[in-house]
C-alpha cells in the first residue's frame, strides 16, 4: 500500500522493496539525527501484518517456528523464523501476543504467502489466521506502548490501525534514515542481507530468532547440525566503504578480494550521518577477517558480525592471512 506521505513536499520514493514509502523528505542526514533524538517517525506501512488468534495459537506457532513461543507472555516482543525443510530462511517475523492474538510484522509483500502457509497448517486446531496489512500499519519512532518492539537507536516499532493516521508533533523521516541506523547496528534484514540459501547461523539470527533447546520444528535438523559442528558456509560482515567514492554498491553487487575472486554479495548499503558509507555483506566463511575487500568495485574494510568460529565445537583460526610461502 503506497504511503500517503509520498505526496508530501520533498518526498522521494525508495527503491524496491520499499518503493511504496519515502526514501527521504529532502534532508536524509537531518532525518537520521531526528530519529535518533526521538523527534521523528518512519512510515514503514509497506510491511505486512499477520494476526493469529485462537486458544491454540501459541503452542501451534511454537511447533512451526524457530522460537520458543509456548507460554509467551502478553506484550513480550520476540522474533522468529519460518524455515524450509532444508533449514533455509523463508520468513523472518517480529511477534507479539496481546493476550488474545499473536501479531507479526514481516517484509513487504511477504504477508500473503505467510498467511497462506499458516492457514494450510491449521488442521483441526483452534486458530484463525488473517493478513490484516490493509487495516494495520507499521511505524517506527519514540516509545508509544501497545504492540511495540524495541528497535534501532532507542526507537520502537509499533503496529497501529491505519485509521489512526500518523503521530502528531513528530517530523517524518524516510526509510533511508531507518536503514542507515539498522546497518550501523549490524542488524541483517531478511531479503536484502539474505538470499534463498541463507541459514540462520550465517547472519546471526540464531542469537535473536532461534531457540536452541526447544522441540522439533521445520528445518531444525540444519540448525542443530550447524550449531554442533560449527560449519556455516558463509558469514555476515559489516563494511566501512571508501568515502571518496560518490556511489554506494547496489544490493547483489559482488564482493571480491583483490585479484577479482568473488567471495560474496552486498546486502544493504547506506550513508550514515556519522560513520559515512556503510554496508552489510554475506561472504564465504573462510575469508580472512582482516582481508581488504571490494564491494561492487568500492574499497571496503570489514568488521566481523558473525564469527567464522560460530558453532559449539568450531575451532577455526581465520584471524590473519596465511604467511607467504616462498
Amino acid at each position: 500500500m503506497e504511503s500517503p506521505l509520498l505526496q508530501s513536499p520533498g518526498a522521494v520514493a525508495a527503491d524496491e522493496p520499499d518503493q511504496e514509502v519515502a526514501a527521504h523528505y529532502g534532508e536524509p542526514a537531518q532525518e537520521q539525527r531526528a530519529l535518533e533524538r526521538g523527534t521523528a517517525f518512519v512510515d514503514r506501512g509497506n510491511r505486512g501484518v499477520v494476526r493469529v488468534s485462537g486458544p491454540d495459537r501459541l503452542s501451534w506457532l511454537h511447533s512451526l517456528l524457530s522460537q520458543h513461543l509456548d507460554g509467551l507472555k502478553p506484550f513480550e516482543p520476540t522474533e522468529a523464523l519460518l524455515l524450509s525443510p532444508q533449514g533455509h530462511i523463508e520468513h523472518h517475523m517480529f511477534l507479539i501476543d496481546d493476550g488474545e492474538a499473536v501479531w507479526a510484522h514481516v517484509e513487504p509483500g511477504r504477508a500473503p504467502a505467510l498467511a497462506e502457509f499458516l492457514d494450510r497448517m491449521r488442521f483441526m486446531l483452534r486458530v484463525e489466521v488473517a493478513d490484516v496489512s490493509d487495516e494495520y500499519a507499521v511505524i517506527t519512532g519514540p516509545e508509544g506502548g501497545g504492540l511495540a518492539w524495541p528497535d534501532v537507536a532507542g526507537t520502537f516499532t509499533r503496529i497501529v490501525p491505519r485509521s489512526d493516521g500518523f503521530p502528531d508533533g513528530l517530523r517524518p523521516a524516510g526509510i533511508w534514515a531507518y536503514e542507515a541506523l539498522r546497518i550501523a547496528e549490524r542488524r541483517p534484514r531478511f531479503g536484502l542481507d539474505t538470499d534463498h540459501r541463507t541459514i540462520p547461523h550465517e547472519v546471526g539470527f540464531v542469537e535473536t530468532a532461534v531457540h536452541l533447546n526447544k522441540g522439533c520444528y521445520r528445518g531444525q535438523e540444519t540448525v542443530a547440525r550447524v550449531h554442533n559442528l560449527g560449519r556455516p558456509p558463509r558469514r555476515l560482515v559489516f563494511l566501512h566503504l571508501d568515502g571518496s567514492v560518490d556511489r554506494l554498491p547496489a544490493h547483489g553487487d559482488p564482493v571480491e578480494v583483490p585479484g577479482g575472486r568473488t567471495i560474496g554479495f552486498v546486502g544493504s548499503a547506506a550513508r550514515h550521518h556519522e560513520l559515512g558509507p556503510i554496508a552489510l555483506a554475506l561472504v564465504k566463511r573462510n575469508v580472512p577477517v582482516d582481508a581488504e575487500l571490494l564491494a561492487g568495485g568500492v574499497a571496503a574494510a570489514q568488521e566481523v558480525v558473525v564469527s567464522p568460529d560460530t558453532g559449539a565445537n568450531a575451532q577455526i583460526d581465520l584471524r590473519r592471512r596465511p604467511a607467504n610461502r616462498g
Side-chain angles (χ1 to χ4, degrees):
M1 182 177 296
E2 184 173 297
S3 171
L5 292 179
L6 281 175
Q7 305 306 313
S8 302
V12 176
D15 294 328
E16 193 176 356
D18 296 317
Q19 66 272 20
E20 293 181 325
V21 297
H24 62 85
Y25 299 91
E27 299 179 314
Q30 291 88 332
E31 292 166 27
Q32 284 184 46
R33 295 187 181 98
L35 191 59
E36 285 185 320
R37 290 195 304 267
T39 59
F41 73 93
V42 180
D43 175 16
R44 302 172 68 201
N46 59 328
R47 291 184 65 80
V49 180
V50 174
R51 184 177 187 267
V52 181
S53 58
D56 295 331
R57 65 189 182 279
L58 290 176
S59 58
W60 177 64
L61 289 172
H62 178 90
S63 71
L64 294 172
L65 306 181
S66 63
Q67 188 59 271
H68 196 293
L69 300 172
D70 197 8
L72 182 69
K73 297 178 181 178
F75 299 101
E76 181 179 308
T78 190
E79 301 176 33
L81 305 173
L82 176 64
L83 303 178
S84 74
Q86 295 75 35
H88 302 135
I89 303 170
E90 292 187 344
H91 294 276
H92 175 221
M93 61 202 80
F94 295 84
L95 303 172
I96 199 166
D97 188 273
D98 66 3
E100 296 182 353
V102 173
W103 298 76
H105 70 87
V106 296
E107 287 294 327
R110 301 277 183 171
L114 175 61
E116 180 183 2
F117 172 83
L118 293 176
D119 198 54
R120 291 201 313 266
M121 302 301 292
R122 288 188 306 147
F123 304 114
M124 300 299 292
L125 294 173
R126 298 170 297 170
V127 293
E128 296 292 334
V129 180
D131 176 358
V132 294
S133 306
D134 288 343
E135 294 84 40
Y136 291 87
V138 177
I139 291 178
T140 298
E143 186 172 7
L147 302 172
W149 292 258
D151 213 318
V152 299
T155 63
F156 286 79
T157 288
R158 295 185 293 137
I159 294 177
V160 298
R162 290 189 183 273
S163 58
D164 285 359
F166 297 107
D168 293 329
L170 301 174
R171 69 176 291 177
I175 195 67
W176 279 10
Y178 177 85
E179 288 291 279
L181 299 179
R182 174 186 67 82
I183 295 168
E185 292 190 5
R186 284 72 165 165
R187 299 191 187 198
R189 181 175 171 185
F190 174 64
L192 284 181
D193 304 307
T194 66
D195 61 14
H196 68 284
R197 297 186 294 116
T198 303
I199 60 176
H201 281 84
E202 293 180 323
V203 291
F205 280 156
V206 75
E207 282 80 27
T208 60
V210 174
H211 194 285
L212 294 170
N213 297 309
K214 59 168 284 187
C216 294
Y217 57 92
R218 195 166 78 151
Q220 183 200 23
E221 294 83 359
T222 297
V223 173
R225 182 171 65 251
V226 173
H227 181 70
N228 291 323
L229 298 178
R231 294 296 189 272
R234 300 176 296 179
R235 59 185 179 87
L236 187 72
V237 296
F238 176 79
L239 300 178
H240 290 278
L241 301 169
D242 182 355
S244 66
V245 179
D246 62 357
R247 63 178 179 85
L248 292 171
H251 169 67
D253 275 356
V255 177
E256 302 167 312
V257 292
R261 181 169 63 93
T262 298
I263 48 85
F265 69 89
V266 176
S268 44
R271 296 187 186 278
H272 190 273
H273 68 94
E274 291 180 340
L275 299 176
I278 55 177
L280 294 173
L282 200 57
V283 303
K284 293 181 179 179
R285 180 186 55 83
N286 59 1
V287 175
V289 298
D290 62 346
E292 294 295 324
L293 305 175
L294 289 174
V298 180
Q302 60 166 312
E303 289 185 10
V304 172
V305 178
V306 172
S307 170
D309 303 329
T310 193
N313 299 319
Q315 296 295 327
I316 308 164
D317 185 7
L318 297 175
R319 299 298 172 186
R320 293 289 180 267
R321 299 183 185 87
N324 292 331
R325 298 181 180 180

